[in-house]
Amino acid sequence: MLSVLRVHLPSDIPIVGCELTPYVVLRFPDGNITADDVPESAPVDGYYLRCKWYRKQNDRRIAVCSIHPTELATLQCLGCIKAKLPVAKSYHCSSRCFFDAWQHHRALHDRAANAVNENGTEEEELFGRFNSSSSGVVNTGLSGSGSTPLYSGSVSEKGSGETWFEVGRSKTYTPSAEDIGQVLKFECLTVDAETRIPIGPASTIFTSRVIPAPTPTPRRLIPVGGADIMGHFDSDGRTASGTFTVLSEIYSYCPTWALSWQYRRQNLLREIVGYHADILCLQEVQSNHFEEFFAPELDKHGYQALYKKRTSEVYAGNPNSIDGCATFFAETAAQSLTDAVIPTGQKKAALGRLIKDNVALIVVLEAKFSNHGSDTPGKRQLLCVANTHVNVHHELKDVKLWQVHTLLKGLEKIAVSADIPMLVCGDFNSLPGSASHALLARGKVDQMHPELVVDPLGILRPATKLTHQLPLVSAYSSFARMVGGSMGLGQQRSRMDLKTNEPLFTNCTRDFTGTLDYIFYTADSLTVESLLELLDEESLRKDTALPSPEWSSDHIALLAEFQCMPRTRQ
């Protein structure tokens, strides 16, 4: 007879929108053990496994704490309600919780007030309008000021005569907003396929209370080109009138449930799709995650994809866990593809040092929008996009610089053969002021730069060769160069390092805070119209780092809107 040996949940904290799949171990009649499903449609030796999900019946809707989502809320901040912030952010589990979070919480109120002052109305922010995870939390309609008690006491988890409501009849279940604050129960048992009579007792497992998907602070596009940003979007949220957007993002310090792939993938997808970028440059994407999740899910949103794994000369593990770069594009057509820029003819000894799991994916796209403002109507508008992850140990600065130089020389060859705008995006694992950053931003490296001292293979000599002719400029340097402007633009300049004209940080962990990620563009053919606002450290939840429940990547997404410049006649 088919029997259940064990039932286990990878995480006992369910989250709205994230699929729950229990791990069920079965023993077949012949003694073999498996974790495969045995559905009614494919019984084994006359038996199958029946699975059901239940929600504990409760007459009262339950809200959870915005800071500690596994705790019930007992207080609600009425300032959030008046400011029309997402209601889920107004709940707290205790007065101490509210007090400890006040500095960050007050920033949410100030932000809402600034949005009204700058725009006259509360603007619909890019990421916030696509995040509906707070819809299941009921506004209690309390009046007054400050914080107001929400519950007189806690809800009993168990007791005699409790009622369970069936919500699913399959092995997997995806919690909805109606489940927030409630306990779920999974039940499975063996059933005789002929008589449909259960055999033996049911195996049951309970979850903790369902929590809403945390809502990160919305990030706006800040105009830097003098145009009204809201006028650039068409009916599906993507840019129109000849502009396009590019997003660059990479894939512990937070609860274990927030590190589970089932949660992180949905949170990442929600963030990525919410930005409505025309071009997505993703780094550190595992091959199986690309094939099984990102490619099919982003295809539903109209994106085509190209993917390249890292080189694996120094890797000897599960091939599915080797990551790489993925470039997705919408409203454009792929014209050609240049594969990873990896030099040939190197000595075997040198390869062991130089080929350190590097990857660069170069794609040439053809725009589908017309050439607005161009003096050559009908001419094809091409765009070259390089997406890279320079994954080199921090001590191998010579290798890092060599890889960046090799990539730029490959792009130069494309530039010589075609008059084409270029974007260079990715995680370069290089701080502003490093030799790699200098080469990208200034086109050359000072011959006295300290990082040129270590060069055991002689790959950086002579130093005069470390140049390129591409007119590359960092997109986010626009924040530092702008003079005057709105209050929002001034706030962004305060989040920039004015010595390097780069953000203060794009990567924030408990051991490191700094800028490693960049979007470079060719300034003779593209102009920056707007940039996704930068986060400050106060925007990240107190006493945490990345990844966190709100932000599932340890790097902050960068997004820029560009306009192709009209080409002058030769």
Short mmCIF file of all heavy atoms in Angstrom, two decimals, residues 25-56:
data_model
loop_
_atom_site.label_atom_id
_atom_site.label_comp_id
_atom_site.label_asym_id
_atom_site.label_seq_id
_atom_site.Cartn_x
_atom_site.Cartn_y
_atom_site.Cartn_z
N VAL A 25 7.16 12.75 1.51
CA VAL A 25 7.93 11.53 1.26
C VAL A 25 6.98 10.34 1.32
O VAL A 25 6.26 10.15 2.30
CB VAL A 25 9.06 11.36 2.29
CG1 VAL A 25 9.85 10.09 1.99
CG2 VAL A 25 9.98 12.57 2.26
N LEU A 26 6.97 9.54 0.23
CA LEU A 26 6.06 8.39 0.12
C LEU A 26 6.84 7.09 0.03
O LEU A 26 7.96 7.05 -0.48
CB LEU A 26 5.18 8.53 -1.14
CG LEU A 26 4.33 9.81 -1.27
CD1 LEU A 26 3.68 9.85 -2.65
CD2 LEU A 26 3.29 9.86 -0.17
N ARG A 27 6.20 6.02 0.52
CA ARG A 27 6.75 4.68 0.35
C ARG A 27 5.80 3.88 -0.54
O ARG A 27 4.61 3.75 -0.25
CB ARG A 27 6.93 3.97 1.69
CG ARG A 27 7.42 2.51 1.50
CD ARG A 27 7.51 1.77 2.83
NE ARG A 27 8.71 2.17 3.56
CZ ARG A 27 8.74 2.45 4.85
NH1 ARG A 27 7.61 2.40 5.55
NH2 ARG A 27 9.86 2.79 5.44
N PHE A 28 6.35 3.34 -1.65
CA PHE A 28 5.56 2.52 -2.54
C PHE A 28 5.37 1.12 -1.95
O PHE A 28 6.12 0.72 -1.03
CB PHE A 28 6.25 2.40 -3.92
CG PHE A 28 6.18 3.67 -4.73
CD1 PHE A 28 7.25 4.07 -5.53
CD2 PHE A 28 5.05 4.47 -4.71
CE1 PHE A 28 7.19 5.22 -6.29
CE2 PHE A 28 4.98 5.63 -5.46
CZ PHE A 28 6.05 6.01 -6.25
N PRO A 29 4.39 0.37 -2.48
CA PRO A 29 4.17 -1.00 -1.98
C PRO A 29 5.41 -1.89 -2.06
O PRO A 29 5.59 -2.79 -1.25
CB PRO A 29 3.05 -1.51 -2.88
CG PRO A 29 2.29 -0.28 -3.28
CD PRO A 29 3.34 0.78 -3.42
N ASP A 30 6.30 -1.63 -3.05
CA ASP A 30 7.51 -2.46 -3.18
C ASP A 30 8.64 -2.01 -2.26
O ASP A 30 9.75 -2.55 -2.30
CB ASP A 30 8.01 -2.47 -4.63
CG ASP A 30 8.36 -1.08 -5.13
OD1 ASP A 30 8.33 -0.12 -4.33
OD2 ASP A 30 8.68 -0.94 -6.33
N GLY A 31 8.38 -1.00 -1.44
CA GLY A 31 9.37 -0.54 -0.48
C GLY A 31 10.19 0.64 -0.94
O GLY A 31 10.91 1.24 -0.13
N ASN A 32 10.11 1.01 -2.22
CA ASN A 32 10.86 2.17 -2.71
C ASN A 32 10.29 3.47 -2.13
O ASN A 32 9.09 3.58 -1.87
CB ASN A 32 10.80 2.23 -4.24
CG ASN A 32 11.66 1.15 -4.88
OD1 ASN A 32 12.66 0.73 -4.31
ND2 ASN A 32 11.25 0.68 -6.07
N ILE A 33 11.17 4.45 -1.94
CA ILE A 33 10.78 5.73 -1.36
C ILE A 33 10.93 6.82 -2.41
O ILE A 33 11.91 6.84 -3.17
CB ILE A 33 11.62 6.03 -0.12
CG1 ILE A 33 11.33 5.00 0.97
CG2 ILE A 33 11.34 7.44 0.41
CD1 ILE A 33 12.19 5.15 2.20
N THR A 34 9.97 7.75 -2.47
CA THR A 34 10.00 8.82 -3.46
C THR A 34 9.39 10.08 -2.88
O THR A 34 8.61 10.03 -1.92
CB THR A 34 9.22 8.42 -4.73
OG1 THR A 34 9.31 9.47 -5.70
CG2 THR A 34 7.76 8.19 -4.41
N ALA A 35 9.76 11.19 -3.48
CA ALA A 35 9.14 12.47 -3.13
C ALA A 35 8.28 12.97 -4.28
O ALA A 35 7.75 14.09 -4.23
CB ALA A 35 10.21 13.50 -2.80
N ASP A 36 8.11 12.14 -5.32
CA ASP A 36 7.27 12.51 -6.46
C ASP A 36 5.80 12.47 -6.08
O ASP A 36 5.39 11.72 -5.19
CB ASP A 36 7.52 11.56 -7.64
CG ASP A 36 8.93 11.68 -8.19
OD1 ASP A 36 9.54 12.75 -7.99
OD2 ASP A 36 9.42 10.70 -8.79
N ASP A 37 5.01 13.27 -6.78
CA ASP A 37 3.58 13.30 -6.53
C ASP A 37 2.91 12.07 -7.16
O ASP A 37 3.37 11.55 -8.19
CB ASP A 37 2.97 14.58 -7.13
CG ASP A 37 1.57 14.84 -6.62
OD1 ASP A 37 1.18 14.21 -5.61
OD2 ASP A 37 0.87 15.69 -7.21
N VAL A 38 1.85 11.57 -6.52
CA VAL A 38 1.06 10.46 -7.06
C VAL A 38 -0.39 10.94 -7.12
O VAL A 38 -1.18 10.72 -6.20
CB VAL A 38 1.18 9.19 -6.18
CG1 VAL A 38 0.38 8.05 -6.81
CG2 VAL A 38 2.64 8.79 -6.02
N PRO A 39 -0.77 11.62 -8.21
CA PRO A 39 -2.12 12.19 -8.31
C PRO A 39 -3.17 11.14 -8.66
O PRO A 39 -2.84 10.01 -9.04
CB PRO A 39 -1.97 13.22 -9.43
CG PRO A 39 -0.90 12.65 -10.31
CD PRO A 39 0.06 11.96 -9.39
N GLU A 40 -4.40 11.53 -8.56
CA GLU A 40 -5.52 10.64 -8.88
C GLU A 40 -5.47 10.20 -10.34
O GLU A 40 -5.87 9.08 -10.67
CB GLU A 40 -6.84 11.34 -8.59
CG GLU A 40 -8.07 10.49 -8.81
CD GLU A 40 -9.36 11.20 -8.46
OE1 GLU A 40 -9.30 12.38 -8.06
OE2 GLU A 40 -10.44 10.58 -8.58
N SER A 41 -4.95 11.05 -11.21
CA SER A 41 -4.88 10.72 -12.64
C SER A 41 -3.81 9.68 -12.96
O SER A 41 -3.81 9.11 -14.04
CB SER A 41 -4.62 11.99 -13.45
OG SER A 41 -3.39 12.59 -13.03
N ALA A 42 -2.88 9.43 -12.03
CA ALA A 42 -1.82 8.46 -12.27
C ALA A 42 -1.55 7.66 -10.99
O ALA A 42 -0.49 7.77 -10.37
CB ALA A 42 -0.54 9.18 -12.73
N PRO A 43 -2.52 6.81 -10.59
CA PRO A 43 -2.35 6.03 -9.35
C PRO A 43 -1.24 4.99 -9.49
O PRO A 43 -0.89 4.58 -10.60
CB PRO A 43 -3.72 5.38 -9.15
CG PRO A 43 -4.31 5.32 -10.53
CD PRO A 43 -3.82 6.53 -11.23
N VAL A 44 -0.69 4.57 -8.37
CA VAL A 44 0.34 3.54 -8.33
C VAL A 44 -0.20 2.34 -7.56
O VAL A 44 -0.58 2.47 -6.38
CB VAL A 44 1.62 4.06 -7.65
CG1 VAL A 44 2.63 2.94 -7.48
CG2 VAL A 44 2.22 5.21 -8.47
N ASP A 45 -0.28 1.17 -8.25
CA ASP A 45 -0.80 -0.06 -7.64
C ASP A 45 -2.17 0.15 -7.01
O ASP A 45 -2.49 -0.40 -5.94
CB ASP A 45 0.17 -0.59 -6.59
CG ASP A 45 1.46 -1.10 -7.21
OD1 ASP A 45 1.45 -1.44 -8.41
OD2 ASP A 45 2.49 -1.12 -6.51
N GLY A 46 -3.00 0.98 -7.67
CA GLY A 46 -4.38 1.16 -7.20
C GLY A 46 -4.55 2.22 -6.13
O GLY A 46 -5.64 2.34 -5.56
N TYR A 47 -3.52 3.01 -5.84
CA TYR A 47 -3.63 4.04 -4.80
C TYR A 47 -3.09 5.37 -5.33
O TYR A 47 -2.22 5.42 -6.20
CB TYR A 47 -2.83 3.64 -3.55
CG TYR A 47 -3.30 2.36 -2.92
CD1 TYR A 47 -2.67 1.14 -3.21
CD2 TYR A 47 -4.37 2.35 -2.02
CE1 TYR A 47 -3.09 -0.05 -2.63
CE2 TYR A 47 -4.80 1.16 -1.44
CZ TYR A 47 -4.16 -0.02 -1.74
OH TYR A 47 -4.59 -1.20 -1.17
N TYR A 48 -3.64 6.44 -4.77
CA TYR A 48 -3.13 7.77 -5.11
C TYR A 48 -3.14 8.63 -3.84
O TYR A 48 -3.68 8.24 -2.79
CB TYR A 48 -3.95 8.43 -6.22
CG TYR A 48 -5.39 8.77 -5.86
CD1 TYR A 48 -5.72 10.01 -5.31
CD2 TYR A 48 -6.42 7.86 -6.10
CE1 TYR A 48 -7.03 10.33 -5.00
CE2 TYR A 48 -7.74 8.18 -5.79
CZ TYR A 48 -8.04 9.41 -5.24
OH TYR A 48 -9.34 9.72 -4.92
N LEU A 49 -2.54 9.82 -3.95
CA LEU A 49 -2.43 10.73 -2.82
C LEU A 49 -3.42 11.88 -2.98
O LEU A 49 -3.42 12.56 -4.00
CB LEU A 49 -1.00 11.29 -2.73
CG LEU A 49 -0.65 12.05 -1.46
CD1 LEU A 49 -0.62 11.12 -0.26
CD2 LEU A 49 0.71 12.75 -1.62
N ARG A 50 -4.27 12.06 -1.99
CA ARG A 50 -5.22 13.17 -2.00
C ARG A 50 -4.68 14.29 -1.11
O ARG A 50 -4.32 14.05 0.04
CB ARG A 50 -6.59 12.74 -1.50
CG ARG A 50 -7.61 13.89 -1.41
CD ARG A 50 -8.91 13.44 -0.77
NE ARG A 50 -9.60 12.49 -1.63
CZ ARG A 50 -10.68 11.79 -1.25
NH1 ARG A 50 -11.12 11.91 0.01
NH2 ARG A 50 -11.26 10.96 -2.07
N CYS A 51 -4.62 15.49 -1.66
CA CYS A 51 -4.09 16.64 -0.92
C CYS A 51 -5.15 17.74 -0.83
O CYS A 51 -5.87 18.00 -1.80
CB CYS A 51 -2.85 17.20 -1.61
SG CYS A 51 -1.48 16.01 -1.76
N LYS A 52 -5.22 18.39 0.32
CA LYS A 52 -6.15 19.51 0.52
C LYS A 52 -5.49 20.57 1.39
O LYS A 52 -4.66 20.28 2.25
CB LYS A 52 -7.45 19.04 1.17
CG LYS A 52 -8.34 18.18 0.28
CD LYS A 52 -9.67 17.88 0.95
CE LYS A 52 -10.58 17.05 0.05
NZ LYS A 52 -11.89 16.78 0.69
N TRP A 53 -5.90 21.80 1.14
CA TRP A 53 -5.47 22.94 1.96
C TRP A 53 -6.69 23.55 2.63
O TRP A 53 -7.77 23.66 2.03
CB TRP A 53 -4.79 24.01 1.10
CG TRP A 53 -3.40 23.67 0.69
CD1 TRP A 53 -3.00 23.03 -0.45
CD2 TRP A 53 -2.21 23.97 1.42
NE1 TRP A 53 -1.64 22.89 -0.47
CE2 TRP A 53 -1.13 23.47 0.66
CE3 TRP A 53 -1.94 24.60 2.63
CZ2 TRP A 53 0.19 23.59 1.07
CZ3 TRP A 53 -0.64 24.73 3.05
CH2 TRP A 53 0.42 24.23 2.28
N TYR A 54 -6.52 23.97 3.89
CA TYR A 54 -7.59 24.58 4.65
C TYR A 54 -7.12 25.88 5.28
O TYR A 54 -5.93 26.05 5.59
CB TYR A 54 -8.06 23.65 5.78
CG TYR A 54 -8.61 22.33 5.33
CD1 TYR A 54 -7.77 21.24 5.15
CD2 TYR A 54 -9.98 22.16 5.09
CE1 TYR A 54 -8.27 20.01 4.74
CE2 TYR A 54 -10.49 20.93 4.69
CZ TYR A 54 -9.64 19.86 4.51
OH TYR A 54 -10.12 18.64 4.11
N ARG A 55 -8.05 26.80 5.46
CA ARG A 55 -7.79 28.03 6.21
C ARG A 55 -8.66 28.03 7.45
O ARG A 55 -9.85 27.71 7.40
CB ARG A 55 -8.12 29.25 5.36
CG ARG A 55 -7.91 30.58 6.10
CD ARG A 55 -8.15 31.79 5.21
NE ARG A 55 -9.53 31.91 4.78
CZ ARG A 55 -9.93 31.96 3.51
NH1 ARG A 55 -9.04 31.88 2.54
NH2 ARG A 55 -11.20 32.08 3.22
N LYS A 56 -8.03 28.40 8.57
CA LYS A 56 -8.77 28.44 9.82
C LYS A 56 -9.82 29.54 9.76
O LYS A 56 -9.52 30.68 9.45
CB LYS A 56 -7.81 28.70 10.99
CG LYS A 56 -8.45 28.50 12.35
CD LYS A 56 -7.40 28.64 13.44
CE LYS A 56 -8.01 28.41 14.81
NZ LYS A 56 -6.99 28.55 15.89
#
